[in-house]
Structures are given as structure tokens and as C-alpha cells.
Amino acid sequence: MVSIDGLQDEVTSGGESGMFANLCLQTNLCKRYRGAMESSSGHAPTPEQLRGLAHPTRLKMLGLLRSDGPQTATMLAGQLGLNTGATSYHLRQLASHGYVTEAPELGTGRERWWRAAHRSTRLEDNTSPAAGAFLQSVVIRHTQTLQQGAEEFDELPDAWKRASTHSDWLMRLSSKQARELVIQISDLLTDAMHAAEEEPENGAASGDGIEQVMFQFHVFPRPGRIPYRTDADDPTRSAGDAVRGD
């Protein structure tokens, strides 16, 4: 299990709320800014709003605002490797779809500050047509974050090397069993996250430094083995392959 982008995006199960994507270190927010965001568990976007977020750069930008608090276009541009014009454009798109709002109390008249409008984004129906493009962007951001983490691994202290893992498990389950397991693991991670937010200095007493820790969580049927996919859908597979499950 290698579970959201600084994205920033984490796909998990929301119990009765269905599948959702908790974008970008989303709930690990600086306490200073939590009061300015909605206290609900997350924002459930409309299909049009979801399409507005289906962009890896916007996902990362939203993740930075959720994890690090309000920032200007110039500050975000430096972290994203973009010019301020491009960053301002993406911020306006996020604002038009309800994901970010201005923070006028932080501005100086020449700078516009932006904050995330919600702590997380919930994808309640991942079977909708708009969900596919969004989930593709989520996977891109997760992959980028995972790659960056792997590149920095050798520079980590030994304690954090031992605490890190890149693992996967393959098992035979029904869709119902898989969903139940997703809910159990999601609940466990959510409980741990809430406990860490309530007592953020727990690790300090033991001499263990506190860091933002990324858990990425992906669950899906093994790729390349969809039995109802036809030869026209996938020219690399034959009808015999589909029957045998090879």
C-alpha cells in the first residue's frame, strides 16, 4: 500500500458517501488556516466543476494551498516552475469552479492572495463520464509525487527510510469484498489523520521529528485482464486470452 500531490490527491472510500479523491495533503493543514475553510468533510463537485479540476497543474496548485495555506500567484509560480501569468490563469479557473477564494485580508493592494475553499474534494460517483479525466489527472499527480519521493529517498534520515514503504498486494476478491476492505483501510487512515491533527506534537516527546507524511492508496482490478473487453477494444488480446484469463 503506497498511498493524494504535495498533490495531493488520494483516492479512497468515503463510506456511504462513495468513492472520493482527497486532494493533496489535503487535510494536513496548518491550524492557522483551518478556520477559514469549510468544516465539512469535503466538497462534492458538479460534473462541470470536476472537469475544471481535471488538470495535473491545478491539482498540485490546490494541494499546495491546502497543505501550506494561502499564497500568491508569484509564490505558487516559484514552486510549480511556471510563469505568473500561467499561474494566475489556473487560479482564476480554480476560483471560477469554486475550489479557491481570494484572501483579501492578506493582500497589500498589489498582490492577490488565494486560499483553498475546502479541506478536500469528494468524488461521490466515479462512474460518471466526468470522473475518468479527473482520475487520470489524479494518477498523474500521484505518480509525480511518488517519483519525487523515490528520488529523495537516499537523502532521508535512516529513521524515515525505515518508516517508508513502497509495497503492493495482489489478491482474489469480489467487488463487494474489495470495497469493504477499502472502507476499512480508509477509516483506519482517517482516524490516524484526525488523531495526528488533535495532538500534532506527540512525536516531539519521543525525540522523533514531525513531518507531513504521504499515504497514497490505490485499489483496482489487475490491468490487462478485463474479461468483457473485445479484440476490437484491445488488439493485443485474443478471445482465448480473455477466456483463459492469461
Side-chain angles (χ1 to χ4, degrees):
M1 176 182 60
V2 256
S3 172
I4 282 146
D5 226 321
L7 186 91
Q8 311 188 267
D9 285 280
E10 166 183 1
V11 176
T12 177
S13 171
E16 295 182 355
S17 297
M19 299 299 291
F20 66 89
N22 276 336
L23 305 180
C24 311
L25 289 176
Q26 59 283 36
T27 46
N28 297 325
L29 303 167
C30 298
K31 286 189 174 181
R32 174 182 175 188
Y33 302 113
R34 286 178 184 162
M37 305 177 74
E38 293 186 2
S39 60
S40 61
S41 60
H43 167 58
T46 65
E48 180 61 29
Q49 289 176 318
L50 197 60
R51 283 189 283 270
L53 191 57
H55 192 293
T57 296
R58 292 176 197 166
L59 286 174
K60 184 171 184 178
M61 186 177 295
L62 182 57
L64 290 171
L65 292 173
R66 285 176 171 170
S67 61
D68 298 338
Q71 300 187 55
T72 66
T74 300
M75 295 165 65
L76 288 167
Q79 299 176 77
L80 296 169
L82 301 174
N83 59 55
T84 55
T87 306
S88 295
Y89 169 76
H90 287 301
L91 282 168
R92 290 194 300 271
Q93 290 298 309
L94 288 171
S96 70
H97 289 92
Y99 294 104
V100 304
T101 61
E102 285 194 59
E105 72 280 6
L106 300 177
T108 62
R110 300 182 61 182
E111 289 185 311
R112 299 172 70 181
W113 286 69
W114 300 86
R115 65 161 51 95
H118 317 94
R119 295 184 64 185
S120 65
T121 299
R122 293 185 295 109
L123 181 57
E124 294 192 338
D125 180 13
N126 65 346
T127 66
S128 69
F134 170 73
L135 292 176
Q136 285 283 351
S137 296
V138 169
V139 170
I140 290 172
R141 283 302 308 135
H142 281 199
T143 302
Q144 291 171 340
T145 304
L146 182 60
Q147 180 63 43
Q148 184 178 1
E151 291 171 356
E152 296 177 358
F153 182 81
D154 286 341
E155 301 175 47
L156 293 176
D158 287 347
W160 278 111
K161 288 180 180 178
R162 288 190 289 268
S164 301
T165 182
H166 299 283
S167 310
D168 61 1
W169 289 261
L170 183 66
M171 61 189 78
R172 295 181 60 83
L173 299 172
S174 68
S175 59
K176 180 180 178 180
Q177 291 172 320
R179 176 163 174 75
E180 289 175 348
L181 186 55
V182 165
I183 292 173
Q184 292 175 27
I185 296 173
S186 298
D187 287 346
L188 178 64
L189 290 172
T190 299
D191 289 345
M193 182 176 63
H194 290 164
E197 289 178 343
E198 292 170 2
E199 301 183 70
E201 303 304 325
N202 272 352
S206 63
D208 188 11
I210 299 296
E211 299 287 350
Q212 287 184 325
V213 179
M214 176 72 71
F215 286 81
Q216 290 188 348
F217 186 27
H218 306 277
V219 177
F220 48 88
R222 179 181 170 186
R225 299 169 66 85
I226 301 177
Y228 44 81
R229 176 173 287 171
T230 66
D231 293 346
D233 295 326
D234 186 352
T236 65
R237 285 174 57 83
S238 67
D241 289 338
V243 172
R244 293 193 302 272
D246 296 337

